[in-house]
Amino acid sequence: KASQGSIILIRGPHDSGKSTIISIMTDNFSLTGEGKAGCVLYPTHLRVLHVSYSPMMVRGIGLYKNLTFGMEEGEVPDISRIRRILTRLGLTKPSLLEELERCFRTERGIKTKHQDSPSMGKVYSKGSNSDEDSDSEDASEGASEEAEEELEEEEEAGNEEWISMLSNSECKRIHLARAFIFNPEVLVLHRPIDELEMSLTDKVLGLLREHVDNRGVEMDPSTAHRRRPRTVFFTGGTIKKPRIVDLI
């Protein structure tokens, strides 16, 4: 039995069953059948999030929606918290932050200079001749449709382009950032620090500890007592016990 508010490391050599345990814990593996029995039980009020070893990105929805994927409208945090988490994970490349801002503005319907162009709306001339007014309206609608199509094409291109610019390490860290942004009560990660540089490994482990101790990363410490305890399970090879771990 794992108590809430702790970090548990599941370790062992290659092919020793670490991923199977993670799959059982996240209900992705059936224990039914001959010689199989048992289950993993969580209190029903706890949110459990599985972070796979291989990064997952959804194409066509942009960086902001990727980072907040699966969250209800009222659960999405302030954009400043998202930026801080990315910064903590070393994701500070200008092009990446610009993409986040662009997607955020698009999602929130904030007009950019290009979107605020007069061609984007109908043009009405008070007191004008009805035929002239109709011609003007038709021309305006045509220009508006063309401008909207151009914007959609630009957005679609932007939504795909940012993924191709990411390194494997950046993909992995965005994958982890999504988990910290979601802020679940139970976080289950498969090999989250594998293939990361030592400096990045320390950052990830520090964020896991903060997730438990502060009951959320980059959250107000003064309100931590109002949030439910956080628990982390993560797998590793034969690594030594990191100082952040409570139980192996």
Side-chain angles (χ1 to χ4, degrees), residues 82-229:
I82 295 175
R83 290 195 200 99
R84 293 197 302 273
I85 290 174
L86 292 181
T87 299
R88 296 278 299 277
L89 285 165
L91 294 164
T92 56
K93 195 159 61 176
S95 59
L96 194 66
L97 297 178
E98 287 169 8
E99 170 65 14
L100 174 67
E101 185 67 25
R102 186 192 68 79
C103 293
F104 173 72
R105 292 175 67 87
T106 300
E107 178 68 14
R108 289 291 180 264
I110 303 172
K111 291 183 178 181
T112 62
K113 187 175 182 180
H114 180 65
Q115 289 173 312
D116 208 23
S117 168
S119 65
M120 288 297 292
K122 294 182 180 179
V123 177
Y124 297 94
S125 177
K126 187 176 180 180
S128 62
N129 179 278
S130 59
D131 291 337
E132 292 176 352
D133 184 61
S134 176
D135 290 341
S136 175
E137 183 176 330
D138 290 342
S140 175
E141 286 179 349
S144 176
E145 288 175 2
E146 288 179 7
E148 287 176 359
E149 287 176 2
E150 288 177 7
L151 277 176
E152 287 176 2
E153 289 175 1
E154 288 176 9
E155 288 173 6
E156 287 176 3
N159 286 342
E160 295 288 343
E161 186 177 339
W162 68 275
I163 296 179
S164 63
M165 295 189 298
L166 297 176
S167 67
N168 291 336
S169 173
E170 288 170 331
C171 283
K172 191 176 186 76
R173 283 177 281 153
I174 287 174
H175 193 49
L176 292 169
R178 182 193 297 127
F180 291 125
I181 292 166
F182 188 72
N183 193 21
E185 284 81 14
V186 181
L187 187 53
V188 184
L189 310 99
H190 186 38
R191 298 163 58 190
I193 58 175
D194 281 23
E195 300 175 15
L196 290 179
E197 296 176 4
M198 184 57 68
S199 60
L200 294 176
T201 294
D202 291 340
K203 288 180 180 180
V204 171
L205 292 176
L207 290 171
L208 291 176
R209 187 73 258 177
E210 181 178 332
H211 178 72
V212 171
D213 292 345
N214 192 49
R215 301 184 179 184
V217 172
E218 288 294 336
M219 303 281 285
D220 185 356
S222 67
T223 60
H225 65 284
R226 301 177 189 171
R227 300 187 286 273
R228 295 190 180 105

Side-chain angles (χ1 to χ4, degrees), residues 15-69:
D15 284 339
S16 59
K18 299 184 297 296
S19 62
T20 301
I21 292 174
I22 291 292
S23 296
I24 293 170
M25 292 175 65
T26 53
D27 205 25
N28 290 321
F29 185 88
S30 175
L31 279 172
T32 60
E34 186 178 351
K36 298 178 181 179
C39 61
V40 177
L41 299 175
Y42 298 100
T44 55
H45 61 279
L46 300 183
R47 298 168 302 157
V48 181
L49 180 65
H50 175 212
V51 181
S52 61
Y53 169 69
S54 299
M56 296 182 181
M57 302 291 166
V58 181
R59 293 186 175 274
I61 65 171
L63 177 58
Y64 176 74
K65 280 191 173 182
N66 262 277
L67 289 169
T68 58
F69 188 79

